[in-house]
Amino acid sequence: MKSPHAPLPKLLYPLLLAALVALPSAASADTLLSVELPRLNVAEYHRPYLAAWVMEQQTGEVTNLAVWYQLDEEGKEWLKDLRQWWRRSGRKLDMPVDAFTGATKPPGVYDIELDGQLAGLPDGQYTLHVEASREVGGRELLKIDFAWPAAEPLNLSAEGEEELGTVTLSLAP
Amino acid sequence: MKLKLIIVALLGLGLSFSAHAHRFWILPAATVLSGEDPWVTFDAAVSNDVFFFNHFPLRPDNITATAPDGSNVELQNPHVGKHRSVFDLQLTQEGTYRIGGASEGLVATWTNEDGERRRWPGRGETANPEDFDTAVPKKADDLKVVYGTRRNETYVTAGAPTETVFTPSNSGLELQPISHPNDLYNGETARFRFLFEGEPAAGTKVTVVPDGIRYRDAQDDFSVEADADGIIAIDWPGAGRYWLEAEYGDDQATPPATMRQGSYVLTLEVLPQ
């Protein structure tokens, strides 16, 4: 099923990570996504809407990993503010989708298990997108390019500046 | 053919297709919507300053909203103010809605035997087609009879964009999406095709004006011209709202008209990536 891949270009080597919460059972090298929602010193804080998805770079095929929003009818009104996700996937969906939707979350670091969600993907070059949008706040989109399947265990990270903290994609072969 | 020279009556401008006609527009508060049966509010105005209300309202009576399934949707809470009109729309269907108005009619101009310029209908008057034969001479100096059409449109989408509302009526100048008007993003070239009376409108001249004229020294408008297939390509100078006017004319008119012209106005929103 999984074919060997050429080594990744240097620019995809993981950045030096800020201190991350230790991952449980790191030895088993799961494929997972770690997303940090930063604690913000703002007068009016609302939990952000968040969407995480991977897109195949050639076909544009989207696989949703997580969408966190206010899980009621009223909450759907603001899904469009996850601007890129809405365009690439959300507007074609009948929300909620049990497989990946969840409630908004307070500041913290969250691990999303991806083994099941990435397992069936065709071999190829992908881009992970993590997009966050906060009421009375800003919006930020982080992207991480990766090859699937991974030839070796890899941790790829991106650092948000406003609405997102550290986002790490851990890939297990 | 029942002529409704709405804009004429409204503006007292006549169907002049000159570049000096006033700009008019329908401006949605949002074009991309999510959620259950979302509402959108609209402003409609006649004003050269894009998009500021300082001249005249565009009356909601002459504006129709068409749902993705082709049905007409009632405009809610219409209000006509001094400088603008306002109405709301509830998007109870998923897909793309068209909000707009259209008018058409004959305008004749000539020079009479005393060397005076004449026109029919007179400025600010509504034409009665039955009067054409008596009001317009069969022969006169500089006699021009123009069949003119106007459209003024905008589009909004709930959920995923659809294309049903773009089915051409084959009347006047119409827009066909290559890029969908509610799927426009800064950094991506937008392409639209224009049809006139159902045929590709080669050479259609399009002027684009970005929002926010008050806050800059120049109009910052730019022009593009349609190719042989009636297709234009636009590279946006940035995200924001735009006013677009397309104009087409040729001499393939049906008598008594000697020329036919189409004007098409569209309000667009371009989102950041």
Side-chain angles (χ1 to χ4, degrees), chain A residues 150-173:
Chain A
E152 55 188 338
L154 268 183
N155 287 319
L156 305 171
S157 285
E159 293 289 339
E161 291 174 0
E162 297 290 339
E163 301 297 332
L164 289 164
T166 304
V167 168
T168 304
L169 178 63
S170 301
L171 297 171

PDB file of all heavy atoms in Angstrom, chain A residues 150-173:
ATOM      1  N   ALA A 150       4.546   9.170   4.846  1.00  0.00           N
ATOM      2  CA  ALA A 150       5.868   9.624   5.270  1.00  0.00           C
ATOM      3  C   ALA A 150       6.849   8.467   5.201  1.00  0.00           C
ATOM      4  O   ALA A 150       6.515   7.327   5.544  1.00  0.00           O
ATOM      5  CB  ALA A 150       5.795  10.163   6.699  1.00  0.00           C
ATOM      6  N   ALA A 151       8.063   8.777   4.720  1.00  0.00           N
ATOM      7  CA  ALA A 151       9.092   7.740   4.615  1.00  0.00           C
ATOM      8  C   ALA A 151       9.682   7.429   5.980  1.00  0.00           C
ATOM      9  O   ALA A 151      10.180   6.332   6.222  1.00  0.00           O
ATOM     10  CB  ALA A 151      10.177   8.193   3.651  1.00  0.00           C
ATOM     11  N   GLU A 152       9.630   8.419   6.861  1.00  0.00           N
ATOM     12  CA  GLU A 152      10.196   8.249   8.212  1.00  0.00           C
ATOM     13  C   GLU A 152       9.386   9.112   9.153  1.00  0.00           C
ATOM     14  O   GLU A 152       8.668   9.999   8.710  1.00  0.00           O
ATOM     15  CB  GLU A 152      11.660   8.699   8.195  1.00  0.00           C
ATOM     16  CG  GLU A 152      11.819  10.117   7.689  1.00  0.00           C
ATOM     17  CD  GLU A 152      13.273  10.509   7.479  1.00  0.00           C
ATOM     18  OE1 GLU A 152      14.139   9.875   8.104  1.00  0.00           O
ATOM     19  OE2 GLU A 152      13.515  11.448   6.719  1.00  0.00           O
ATOM     20  N   PRO A 153       9.508   8.853  10.437  1.00  0.00           N
ATOM     21  CA  PRO A 153       8.770   9.691  11.392  1.00  0.00           C
ATOM     22  C   PRO A 153       9.209  11.146  11.244  1.00  0.00           C
ATOM     23  O   PRO A 153      10.391  11.437  11.134  1.00  0.00           O
ATOM     24  CB  PRO A 153       9.186   9.140  12.762  1.00  0.00           C
ATOM     25  CG  PRO A 153       9.674   7.759  12.500  1.00  0.00           C
ATOM     26  CD  PRO A 153      10.270   7.785  11.111  1.00  0.00           C
ATOM     27  N   LEU A 154       8.253  12.027  11.204  1.00  0.00           N
ATOM     28  CA  LEU A 154       8.549  13.448  10.968  1.00  0.00           C
ATOM     29  C   LEU A 154       7.670  14.306  11.866  1.00  0.00           C
ATOM     30  O   LEU A 154       6.501  14.001  12.076  1.00  0.00           O
ATOM     31  CB  LEU A 154       8.195  13.815   9.519  1.00  0.00           C
ATOM     32  CG  LEU A 154       9.251  13.718   8.428  1.00  0.00           C
ATOM     33  CD1 LEU A 154       8.636  14.209   7.126  1.00  0.00           C
ATOM     34  CD2 LEU A 154      10.468  14.564   8.788  1.00  0.00           C
ATOM     35  N   ASN A 155       8.238  15.392  12.358  1.00  0.00           N
ATOM     36  CA  ASN A 155       7.436  16.418  13.006  1.00  0.00           C
ATOM     37  C   ASN A 155       7.599  17.704  12.217  1.00  0.00           C
ATOM     38  O   ASN A 155       8.698  18.231  12.096  1.00  0.00           O
ATOM     39  CB  ASN A 155       7.902  16.659  14.452  1.00  0.00           C
ATOM     40  CG  ASN A 155       7.494  15.515  15.354  1.00  0.00           C
ATOM     41  OD1 ASN A 155       6.384  15.008  15.226  1.00  0.00           O
ATOM     42  ND2 ASN A 155       8.388  15.114  16.241  1.00  0.00           N
ATOM     43  N   LEU A 156       6.512  18.201  11.638  1.00  0.00           N
ATOM     44  CA  LEU A 156       6.550  19.442  10.853  1.00  0.00           C
ATOM     45  C   LEU A 156       5.735  20.487  11.592  1.00  0.00           C
ATOM     46  O   LEU A 156       4.616  20.210  12.014  1.00  0.00           O
ATOM     47  CB  LEU A 156       5.958  19.213   9.463  1.00  0.00           C
ATOM     48  CG  LEU A 156       6.583  18.077   8.647  1.00  0.00           C
ATOM     49  CD1 LEU A 156       5.764  17.803   7.397  1.00  0.00           C
ATOM     50  CD2 LEU A 156       8.017  18.429   8.286  1.00  0.00           C
ATOM     51  N   SER A 157       6.323  21.676  11.736  1.00  0.00           N
ATOM     52  CA  SER A 157       5.642  22.693  12.540  1.00  0.00           C
ATOM     53  C   SER A 157       5.500  24.011  11.817  1.00  0.00           C
ATOM     54  O   SER A 157       6.270  24.340  10.926  1.00  0.00           O
ATOM     55  CB  SER A 157       6.407  22.954  13.841  1.00  0.00           C
ATOM     56  OG  SER A 157       6.199  21.898  14.724  1.00  0.00           O
ATOM     57  N   ALA A 158       4.507  24.765  12.244  1.00  0.00           N
ATOM     58  CA  ALA A 158       4.348  26.154  11.810  1.00  0.00           C
ATOM     59  C   ALA A 158       3.945  26.960  13.032  1.00  0.00           C
ATOM     60  O   ALA A 158       3.281  26.442  13.936  1.00  0.00           O
ATOM     61  CB  ALA A 158       3.283  26.261  10.722  1.00  0.00           C
ATOM     62  N   GLU A 159       4.367  28.214  13.048  1.00  0.00           N
ATOM     63  CA  GLU A 159       4.080  29.080  14.194  1.00  0.00           C
ATOM     64  C   GLU A 159       3.090  30.158  13.806  1.00  0.00           C
ATOM     65  O   GLU A 159       3.339  30.926  12.880  1.00  0.00           O
ATOM     66  CB  GLU A 159       5.377  29.753  14.684  1.00  0.00           C
ATOM     67  CG  GLU A 159       6.400  28.808  15.281  1.00  0.00           C
ATOM     68  CD  GLU A 159       5.973  28.250  16.640  1.00  0.00           C
ATOM     69  OE1 GLU A 159       5.107  28.889  17.285  1.00  0.00           O
ATOM     70  OE2 GLU A 159       6.491  27.194  17.029  1.00  0.00           O
ATOM     71  N   GLY A 160       1.992  30.227  14.533  1.00  0.00           N
ATOM     72  CA  GLY A 160       1.066  31.320  14.306  1.00  0.00           C
ATOM     73  C   GLY A 160       1.550  32.582  14.985  1.00  0.00           C
ATOM     74  O   GLY A 160       2.423  32.537  15.865  1.00  0.00           O
ATOM     75  N   GLU A 161       0.987  33.704  14.567  1.00  0.00           N
ATOM     76  CA  GLU A 161       1.404  34.977  15.159  1.00  0.00           C
ATOM     77  C   GLU A 161       0.301  35.614  15.987  1.00  0.00           C
ATOM     78  O   GLU A 161       0.579  36.419  16.868  1.00  0.00           O
ATOM     79  CB  GLU A 161       1.821  35.956  14.052  1.00  0.00           C
ATOM     80  CG  GLU A 161       3.111  35.535  13.371  1.00  0.00           C
ATOM     81  CD  GLU A 161       3.454  36.428  12.183  1.00  0.00           C
ATOM     82  OE1 GLU A 161       2.670  37.366  11.900  1.00  0.00           O
ATOM     83  OE2 GLU A 161       4.500  36.186  11.555  1.00  0.00           O
ATOM     84  N   GLU A 162      -0.947  35.300  15.657  1.00  0.00           N
ATOM     85  CA  GLU A 162      -2.046  35.981  16.335  1.00  0.00           C
ATOM     86  C   GLU A 162      -3.052  34.994  16.923  1.00  0.00           C
ATOM     87  O   GLU A 162      -3.167  34.873  18.134  1.00  0.00           O
ATOM     88  CB  GLU A 162      -2.781  36.905  15.344  1.00  0.00           C
ATOM     89  CG  GLU A 162      -1.915  38.027  14.795  1.00  0.00           C
ATOM     90  CD  GLU A 162      -1.583  39.074  15.846  1.00  0.00           C
ATOM     91  OE1 GLU A 162      -2.319  39.150  16.854  1.00  0.00           O
ATOM     92  OE2 GLU A 162      -0.591  39.820  15.663  1.00  0.00           O
ATOM     93  N   GLU A 163      -3.749  34.327  16.058  1.00  0.00           N
ATOM     94  CA  GLU A 163      -4.875  33.508  16.481  1.00  0.00           C
ATOM     95  C   GLU A 163      -4.490  32.061  16.742  1.00  0.00           C
ATOM     96  O   GLU A 163      -5.260  31.307  17.333  1.00  0.00           O
ATOM     97  CB  GLU A 163      -5.983  33.559  15.420  1.00  0.00           C
ATOM     98  CG  GLU A 163      -6.491  34.964  15.140  1.00  0.00           C
ATOM     99  CD  GLU A 163      -7.142  35.601  16.365  1.00  0.00           C
ATOM    100  OE1 GLU A 163      -7.661  34.845  17.210  1.00  0.00           O
ATOM    101  OE2 GLU A 163      -7.120  36.841  16.467  1.00  0.00           O
ATOM    102  N   LEU A 164      -3.316  31.668  16.285  1.00  0.00           N
ATOM    103  CA  LEU A 164      -2.840  30.303  16.469  1.00  0.00           C
ATOM    104  C   LEU A 164      -1.456  30.340  17.093  1.00  0.00           C
ATOM    105  O   LEU A 164      -0.675  31.260  16.844  1.00  0.00           O
ATOM    106  CB  LEU A 164      -2.776  29.563  15.118  1.00  0.00           C
ATOM    107  CG  LEU A 164      -4.118  29.209  14.477  1.00  0.00           C
ATOM    108  CD1 LEU A 164      -3.939  28.860  13.008  1.00  0.00           C
ATOM    109  CD2 LEU A 164      -4.789  28.059  15.227  1.00  0.00           C
ATOM    110  N   GLY A 165      -1.163  29.327  17.900  1.00  0.00           N
ATOM    111  CA  GLY A 165       0.188  29.168  18.435  1.00  0.00           C
ATOM    112  C   GLY A 165       0.942  28.206  17.540  1.00  0.00           C
ATOM    113  O   GLY A 165       0.960  28.346  16.318  1.00  0.00           O
ATOM    114  N   THR A 166       1.562  27.208  18.166  1.00  0.00           N
ATOM    115  CA  THR A 166       2.316  26.227  17.396  1.00  0.00           C
ATOM    116  C   THR A 166       1.382  25.156  16.847  1.00  0.00           C
ATOM    117  O   THR A 166       0.539  24.628  17.564  1.00  0.00           O
ATOM    118  CB  THR A 166       3.382  25.559  18.285  1.00  0.00           C
ATOM    119  OG1 THR A 166       4.191  26.592  18.843  1.00  0.00           O
ATOM    120  CG2 THR A 166       4.258  24.614  17.489  1.00  0.00           C
ATOM    121  N   VAL A 167       1.546  24.881  15.575  1.00  0.00           N
ATOM    122  CA  VAL A 167       0.807  23.788  14.945  1.00  0.00           C
ATOM    123  C   VAL A 167       1.835  22.756  14.507  1.00  0.00           C
ATOM    124  O   VAL A 167       2.805  23.096  13.827  1.00  0.00           O
ATOM    125  CB  VAL A 167       0.002  24.298  13.729  1.00  0.00           C
ATOM    126  CG1 VAL A 167      -0.516  23.132  12.903  1.00  0.00           C
ATOM    127  CG2 VAL A 167      -1.147  25.180  14.200  1.00  0.00           C
ATOM    128  N   THR A 168       1.679  21.520  14.955  1.00  0.00           N
ATOM    129  CA  THR A 168       2.648  20.480  14.614  1.00  0.00           C
ATOM    130  C   THR A 168       1.938  19.282  13.996  1.00  0.00           C
ATOM    131  O   THR A 168       0.961  18.778  14.548  1.00  0.00           O
ATOM    132  CB  THR A 168       3.422  20.014  15.859  1.00  0.00           C
ATOM    133  OG1 THR A 168       4.039  21.146  16.462  1.00  0.00           O
ATOM    134  CG2 THR A 168       4.483  18.983  15.483  1.00  0.00           C
ATOM    135  N   LEU A 169       2.465  18.874  12.863  1.00  0.00           N
ATOM    136  CA  LEU A 169       1.963  17.673  12.212  1.00  0.00           C
ATOM    137  C   LEU A 169       2.995  16.577  12.433  1.00  0.00           C
ATOM    138  O   LEU A 169       4.147  16.707  12.008  1.00  0.00           O
ATOM    139  CB  LEU A 169       1.761  17.927  10.716  1.00  0.00           C
ATOM    140  CG  LEU A 169       1.287  16.735   9.875  1.00  0.00           C
ATOM    141  CD1 LEU A 169      -0.089  16.260  10.317  1.00  0.00           C
ATOM    142  CD2 LEU A 169       1.277  17.106   8.393  1.00  0.00           C
ATOM    143  N   SER A 170       2.613  15.537  13.143  1.00  0.00           N
ATOM    144  CA  SER A 170       3.513  14.410  13.391  1.00  0.00           C
ATOM    145  C   SER A 170       3.098  13.261  12.490  1.00  0.00           C
ATOM    146  O   SER A 170       1.961  12.787  12.561  1.00  0.00           O
ATOM    147  CB  SER A 170       3.434  13.968  14.856  1.00  0.00           C
ATOM    148  OG  SER A 170       3.789  15.053  15.690  1.00  0.00           O
ATOM    149  N   LEU A 171       4.022  12.858  11.635  1.00  0.00           N
ATOM    150  CA  LEU A 171       3.719  11.812  10.670  1.00  0.00           C
ATOM    151  C   LEU A 171       4.468  10.539  11.030  1.00  0.00           C
ATOM    152  O   LEU A 171       5.663  10.574  11.328  1.00  0.00           O
ATOM    153  CB  LEU A 171       4.130  12.257   9.263  1.00  0.00           C
ATOM    154  CG  LEU A 171       3.382  13.476   8.711  1.00  0.00           C
ATOM    155  CD1 LEU A 171       4.026  13.957   7.421  1.00  0.00           C
ATOM    156  CD2 LEU A 171       1.911  13.148   8.470  1.00  0.00           C
ATOM    157  N   ALA A 172       3.779   9.428  11.023  1.00  0.00           N
ATOM    158  CA  ALA A 172       4.419   8.135  11.252  1.00  0.00           C
ATOM    159  C   ALA A 172       4.340   7.346   9.951  1.00  0.00           C
ATOM    160  O   ALA A 172       3.317   7.368   9.285  1.00  0.00           O
ATOM    161  CB  ALA A 172       3.708   7.389  12.372  1.00  0.00           C
ATOM    162  N   PRO A 173       5.420   6.672   9.581  1.00  0.00           N
ATOM    163  CA  PRO A 173       5.400   5.899   8.330  1.00  0.00           C
ATOM    164  C   PRO A 173       4.367   4.776   8.427  1.00  0.00           C
ATOM    165  O   PRO A 173       4.083   4.295   9.506  1.00  0.00           O
ATOM    166  CB  PRO A 173       6.799   5.328   8.197  1.00  0.00           C
ATOM    167  CG  PRO A 173       7.622   5.918   9.275  1.00  0.00           C
ATOM    168  CD  PRO A 173       6.704   6.541  10.293  1.00  0.00           C
TER     169      PRO A 173
END
